[in-house]
Amino acid sequence: MRKKFTNYRSYALATMDEVLSPEQKSGALRLKANTLQSCFLRNDGNGKFTAIPLPVEVQVSVLNGMETGDFDGDGNLDVVINGNDYGSDATIGRYDALNGLMLKGDGKGNFKPLSIMQSGIYIPGDGKALVKFRDKNGQVILAASQHKDVLKIFRSENKTKTIPVKANDVYALIKYKNGKTSRQEFYFGSSFLSQSARFIQLNDKMLSVTVFDDKGNQRR
């Protein structure tokens, strides 16, 4: 490569046929990216999903830790994101355009990016893991790690009640007073080598919560 391309410009303008010879391409597996956008997959039921690109504010950098939950107390799922990557090659530069982000959900699959002043989320470094847990009073806490930087802790201002689940519980069916139903699954491990605490966050819009374990037993 160094003999074929003596400067960055010639390499940048070269086609794939100019970079690799027919012998080098022989037997090679060629992969093609369909999209480079960060998306979420909406479960449409019956084994079908729809990929929906997230807002443009999300697309400015690498996404690592992500957490969902009703962080503003309106009954809809929101998303909090921790991102960036300082470990890229020096010729590319750091991915450092994200300062953490909260997406406010409307309950219909749409998300609105909030400013730092609106959300209180500010994670400007080389953000990695993001986990959600409960403090001693049952309030929701977010912990965001940054590589070679401080751990940032965020406490929700909404005075919500949370209840823990057992180690063998796998999901809960939540019925709301408006007739809607949602399903919350309980995981071991989530994004970027991290694991949040396993609990259910309650609000006054809920009518009942039924928890199912790995043997099909249920309790309300």
Side-chain angles (χ1 to χ4, degrees):
M1 286 295 182
R2 291 181 178 178
K3 293 180 179 179
K4 186 181 296 186
F5 302 102
T6 58
N7 56 65
Y8 290 118
R9 178 178 174 80
S10 61
Y11 177 71
L13 297 176
T15 65
M16 186 60 69
D17 291 333
E18 293 171 332
V19 173
L20 300 175
S21 67
E23 292 77 15
Q24 290 173 317
K25 291 188 295 181
S26 177
L29 177 64
R30 182 175 180 178
L31 303 178
K32 184 177 180 180
N34 296 315
T35 179
L36 297 179
Q37 292 176 299
S38 293
C39 306
F40 81 94
L41 297 179
R42 185 186 65 208
N43 189 343
D44 298 324
N46 299 318
K48 294 184 178 180
F49 293 81
T50 300
I52 302 176
L54 291 168
V56 65
E57 289 84 352
V58 179
Q59 312 297 340
V60 298
S61 192
V62 177
L63 309 186
N64 292 316
M66 303 179 73
E67 272 296 339
T68 60
D70 180 14
F71 297 113
D72 57 4
D74 66 353
N76 299 321
L77 283 179
D78 310 304
V79 183
V80 176
I81 299 170
N82 190 10
N84 293 336
D85 186 2
Y86 292 4
S88 55
D89 189 273
T91 59
I92 298 175
R94 303 192 311 190
Y95 299 105
D96 61 359
L98 196 66
N99 289 317
L101 186 65
M102 177 174 169
L103 302 177
K104 178 179 172 60
D106 65 357
K108 301 177 181 179
N110 303 306
F111 295 96
K112 176 184 177 182
L114 300 183
S115 68
I116 295 171
M117 293 296 293
Q118 290 173 313
S119 69
I121 300 298
Y122 181 58
I123 316 168
D126 189 4
K128 300 304 176 192
L130 183 67
V131 296
K132 180 172 62 176
F133 59 97
R134 308 159 65 237
D135 67 10
K136 64 180 182 179
N137 298 316
Q139 294 300 299
V140 177
I141 302 290
L142 286 174
S145 69
Q146 303 176 102
H147 182 57
K148 294 185 177 180
D149 206 335
V150 298
L151 179 71
K152 303 204 73 171
I153 304 294
F154 303 92
R155 175 178 280 108
S156 173
E157 293 182 346
N158 298 309
K159 301 300 181 181
T160 57
K161 181 180 179 181
T162 57
I163 54 174
V165 296
K166 299 177 181 179
N168 63 332
D169 289 334
V170 291
Y171 70 94
L173 292 181
I174 303 172
K175 292 185 178 181
Y176 294 87
K177 296 177 181 178
N178 61 6
K180 292 185 178 180
T181 302
S182 68
R183 172 178 172 137
Q184 179 180 340
E185 298 177 347
F186 309 120
Y187 306 110
F188 287 103
S190 54
S191 57
F192 204 88
L193 305 178
S194 56
Q195 179 177 321
S196 293
R198 291 156 49 89
F199 61 87
I200 302 172
Q201 185 175 338
L202 305 179
N203 61 55
D204 57 6
K205 299 178 175 62
M206 294 178 179
L207 182 64
S208 67
V209 177
T210 305
V211 180
F212 295 80
D213 65 17
D214 55 2
K215 293 182 174 58
N217 299 316
Q218 57 180 281
R219 66 183 187 278
R220 186 167 171 174

